[in-house]
Amino acid sequence: MTTFLTGIPSQEIDEIWEACEPFIERASKKGQSEMTSQDIYNFCKDAKMQLWIVFDSEANIKAVVTTEIINYPKKKVCRIITLGGKEIDNWLHSITVIEAWAEENGCHAMETFCRKGFIKKLEHYGYEQTYTVLGKELTTIH
């Protein structure tokens, strides 16, 4: 199956958002509730985050990815915030499109916080586990 990944300009987010939101919702539910799909929408509209869509040859959406450029004091990186979709093995190779865009925008690396099962898939594309993030919800406010 032929797929292609394309970035959506911030001024065009409204035209496609309704079709993308379920993918973002599913992906963001795997996190620690740091942000909602509405937060991601707002960041994409303000061009603080980027929206990427994987389409098949019949223009069906197969996956949706969101990214954000992070400016660390010593390094600029492109972080994958959410990645959700179907038939991942058929399109994950397209991540090179995002990597090329990141390089064009001065990034020196890619990073993502992901679940264990996804690590193996990304390792095939040169990603390596650099650290592990653990989380714990606190039930009281101090």
Side-chain angles (χ1 to χ4, degrees):
M1 172 191 306
T2 303
T3 59
F4 63 97
L5 185 147
T6 188
I8 306 300
S10 58
Q11 64 272 19
E12 296 176 19
I13 298 292
D14 287 333
E15 298 171 30
I16 195 84
W17 184 258
E18 189 175 317
C20 296
E21 190 171 24
F23 292 92
I24 293 169
E25 282 284 336
R26 279 193 298 276
S28 58
K29 284 182 181 173
K30 304 290 185 184
Q32 294 184 38
S33 304
E34 299 95 333
M35 63 181 93
T36 66
S37 61
Q38 183 63 45
D39 297 323
I40 292 171
Y41 166 81
N42 292 335
F43 287 135
C44 288
K45 283 289 288 181
D46 292 342
K48 293 177 182 173
M49 291 176 81
Q50 301 75 42
L51 178 68
W52 305 87
I53 303 176
V54 178
F55 293 100
D56 68 13
S57 56
E58 297 172 1
N60 297 308
I61 296 176
K62 292 305 207 181
V64 174
V65 181
T66 58
T67 58
E68 176 182 30
I69 291 180
I70 306 293
N71 287 298
Y72 291 114
K74 304 285 186 196
K75 191 179 206 179
K76 185 176 183 179
V77 303
C78 180
R79 180 182 293 162
I80 298 170
I81 303 296
T82 61
L83 189 154
K86 306 175 240 180
E87 303 165 8
I88 191 168
D89 293 329
N90 292 332
W91 55 263
L92 189 56
H93 65 277
S94 299
I95 200 163
T96 57
V97 172
I98 297 173
E99 294 167 351
W101 174 87
E103 274 193 285
E104 290 168 12
N105 283 276
C107 293
H108 297 96
M110 298 288 298
E111 70 178 19
T112 187
F113 303 147
C114 62
R115 294 177 291 133
K116 279 184 184 180
F118 199 59
I119 292 171
K120 290 288 183 206
K121 294 193 180 292
L122 283 174
E123 284 177 339
H124 292 294
Y125 298 96
Y127 288 72
E128 57 185 47
Q129 186 173 355
T130 54
Y131 51 85
T132 302
V133 176
L134 300 176
K136 177 183 178 182
E137 292 296 320
L138 301 176
T139 56
T140 61
I141 299 175
H142 300 278

